[in-house]
Amino acid sequence: MNGASREALAAARERLDALTDSTSVDAAKLAEELAAVTALLDREVSLRRVLTDPAQAGEAKAELAGRLLSGQVGGPAADLVAGMVRSRWSQPRDLVDSVEELSATAELTSAQRAGSLDDVEDELFRFGRIVESSPALRAALTDRSATTTARTGLLNSLLGGRANPATERLVVRLVTRPRGRSLESGLQTLSRLAAARRDRMVAIVTSAVPLSDGQKQRLGAALAGLYGHPMHLNLDVDPEVLGGISVRVGDEVINGTVADRLEEAERRLAG
């Protein structure tokens, strides 16, 4: 996003935090209503253009949004969207992306309130690994010819009763409303938002064998010291690393595996 949209999104995040700080606001309901607004704006191109038109007064756009959403969503969702359309946006699509982000953040806030945010983070990570290892499943979930009902039913059979309800709702929205994104990038975004709920970063740790609790604590502390942020570890086991660990934080990879050192030795011998 460009400058104007970044500023508008930052302001919207602050308003969302203010709303969800109140226990009277049902964060899960707010998430569902913001998801419905996302679907509306994604579908109605002319509407999102009007609501982001810099030539129109912000108050007039807010009144229009209020009329359209009246009776469709609750007061907190309507007020939040009205505040967003008062802001200036660089591109109409930025508004849609931002409403969608706030929907996911509200869902994660509901999980945080319930004390299950860690579970949701881990389940999103594990689901991503399952999809990555099963091309047939990925094909079924991303098949554009499949109905929403069919894809939702497949997800219910995979996650229903096995995952946190917040995880299931997030994944169902992502799969049934991909909005041009890959499933993998959508899951990565959700993981990033989950980490941001507690102002921490995510490290994907791959090791040949499961790490002990002590090893996880030491690694988490070391990474937190290195990056200056609390660190959540997503753990993956891959026997092919032949010992040691590989850590990925964002686009940065820290390799300390035997396989990596063997490859480096082979390159030096070849040279």
Side-chain angles (χ1 to χ4, degrees):
M1 292 186 185
N2 292 328
S5 291
R6 284 199 301 271
E7 292 176 6
L9 176 55
R13 287 169 176 158
E14 291 182 1
R15 288 193 290 268
L16 176 66
D17 286 342
L19 274 174
T20 53
D21 280 346
S22 170
T23 56
S24 64
V25 174
D26 185 336
K29 179 182 178 182
L30 178 60
E32 185 61 39
E33 291 175 343
L34 291 174
V37 175
T38 301
L40 171 66
L41 295 176
D42 192 52
R43 183 172 64 250
E44 301 293 339
V45 178
S46 59
L47 174 60
R48 68 175 182 257
R49 287 176 177 167
V50 169
L51 292 177
T52 56
D53 184 356
Q56 301 296 320
E59 196 57 40
K61 292 184 286 187
E63 290 177 2
L64 173 60
R67 290 197 303 271
L68 290 172
L69 299 178
S70 177
Q72 306 300 313
V73 301
D79 290 344
L80 186 57
V81 174
M84 294 178 76
V85 300
R86 286 188 183 96
S87 297
R88 187 179 183 87
W89 297 89
S90 304
Q91 298 290 336
R93 187 177 178 85
D94 291 347
L95 172 63
V96 194
D97 291 343
S98 297
V99 176
E100 184 179 48
E101 177 185 312
L102 296 191
S103 171
T105 300
E107 190 69 71
L108 292 164
T109 300
S110 74
Q112 189 173 36
R113 283 182 182 176
S116 56
L117 184 56
D118 278 346
D119 291 338
V120 172
E121 286 185 272
D122 291 337
E123 288 165 358
L124 288 170
F125 175 72
R126 289 200 301 271
F127 182 74
R129 283 294 186 259
I130 290 170
V131 170
E132 184 181 304
S133 64
S134 176
L137 174 60
R138 185 188 186 284
L141 292 174
T142 57
D143 182 2
R144 293 186 179 182
S145 66
T147 65
T148 296
T149 300
R151 282 181 285 178
T152 301
L154 175 57
L155 287 171
N156 287 339
S157 69
L158 291 169
L159 301 176
R162 300 179 180 86
N164 187 281
T167 304
E168 187 171 356
R169 289 191 292 265
L170 287 167
V171 173
V172 166
R173 289 177 196 138
L174 174 61
V175 169
T176 58
R177 302 170 185 169
R179 301 187 54 238
R181 296 161 305 188
S182 71
L183 182 53
E184 292 81 2
S185 67
L187 288 169
Q188 289 171 5
T189 296
L190 290 175
S191 293
R192 176 180 58 78
L193 292 174
R197 278 314 303 162
R198 60 184 76 246
D199 190 26
R200 64 184 183 179
M201 300 177 72
V202 174
I204 298 176
V205 180
T206 304
S207 58
V209 297
L211 301 182
S212 68
D213 289 342
Q215 288 172 321
K216 287 185 283 188
Q217 290 174 3
R218 289 193 295 274
L219 178 59
L223 291 172
L226 179 63
Y227 287 94
H229 286 276
M231 191 72 65
H232 176 73
L233 305 183
N234 281 335
L235 304 173
D236 197 17
V237 176
D238 181 1
E240 292 187 2
V241 301
L242 302 179
I245 60 172
S246 175
V247 179
R248 178 162 61 86
V249 179
D251 295 329
E252 185 175 0
V253 177
I254 305 170
N255 271 318
T257 65
V258 172
D260 184 66
R261 291 194 291 271
L262 288 174
E263 289 179 5
E264 177 62 24
E266 288 176 356
R267 286 194 293 269
R268 291 181 178 179
L269 287 172

